[in-house]
Amino acid sequence: MATFLFDKIIFGPVKSRRLGVSLGINLLPNDSKLCSFNCIYCECGWNPEKTFKVDFHPRSVVKERLEQKLNEMKEQAEAPDVITFAGNGEPCMHPEFAGIIDDTIEVRNRIFPKARIAVLSNATMIHKPDVFDALNKVEDNILKLDGGKEQTIIDLDQPVGTFNLERTVDLLSKFSGNLTIQTLFIKGEYNGKSIDNTSQEEIALWLEHLKKIQPREVMIYTISRDTPVDTLQKVDLPELERIASLVEQAGFSTQISG
């Protein structure tokens, strides 16, 4: 049941199970989650019940802290594999997200030009032209699609506001393959309702979405930390491998994190 928040703008580096040695950037408040989803499995817990004025980290401060940390790592001969936008919610909600991406590219190119830049996003902001363009500039544009059925995604991800799966798939396809799809597989129960996005029907529909989107890679994973809902179960590795084999048969490169 316990969850955690990132209490700094720049955190790590940490060994990521998906990305390697990752230096994290949290664009959201340090003391509260802020997200356009309220996923029942989120390691950061629930969104706050009450609305509040959001003080986003200023673009200039993010750049300053990133440059400082990368210079420290260079002095210590500790090179990151990737600089990852993640943190306490949806990074693309930051009003200066596009400018921050430009700053990050410029700083990365000066200090660690071989490091990749990654964004872990739930894809709810990709309708915004500046966000879409910014995501197209990074090496690892990693976007969420947690099921084949719209209702399944709503049950798992608890969108704040409306969610339209057909529109989301259409927007994801507009990246023309310059993206990675990440899907978290899970089973359990929430609010008296069975939760399972691994069924044959679910996977078949999800694969059809992938064929429309044409991602360069699909990341398949399950929960690895505490979640705000204690009736959820991680999917075992053989099941993830079965799903991955279906993805590969459909013609997509797959990465599994069990």
Side-chain angles (χ1 to χ4, degrees), residues 154-168:
I154 290 171
D155 290 342
L156 280 172
D157 297 343
Q158 301 286 309
V160 178
T162 60
F163 174 81
N164 184 286
L165 176 56
E166 183 178 358
R167 180 169 182 262
T168 298

Side-chain angles (χ1 to χ4, degrees), residues 209-229:
H209 300 324
L210 294 181
K211 291 173 184 177
K212 293 177 184 177
I213 297 166
Q214 290 291 308
R216 62 170 168 243
E217 186 178 40
V218 179
M219 287 183 173
I220 293 172
Y221 65 118
T222 190
I223 52 176
S224 63
R225 298 188 178 101
D226 289 335
T227 64
V229 175

Side-chain angles (χ1 to χ4, degrees), residues 1-6 17 33 39-46 184 186 221-234:
M1 193 75 177
T3 53
F4 73 94
L5 295 170
F6 297 94
R17 55 182 176 152
K33 179 184 169 186
C39 299
I40 63 174
Y41 58 77
C42 183
E43 64 188 31
C44 295
W46 300 115
L184 184 139
I186 200 166
Y221 65 118
T222 190
I223 52 176
S224 63
R225 298 188 178 101
D226 289 335
T227 64
V229 175
D230 58 11
T231 53
L232 303 179
Q233 306 161 19
K234 68 185 299 181

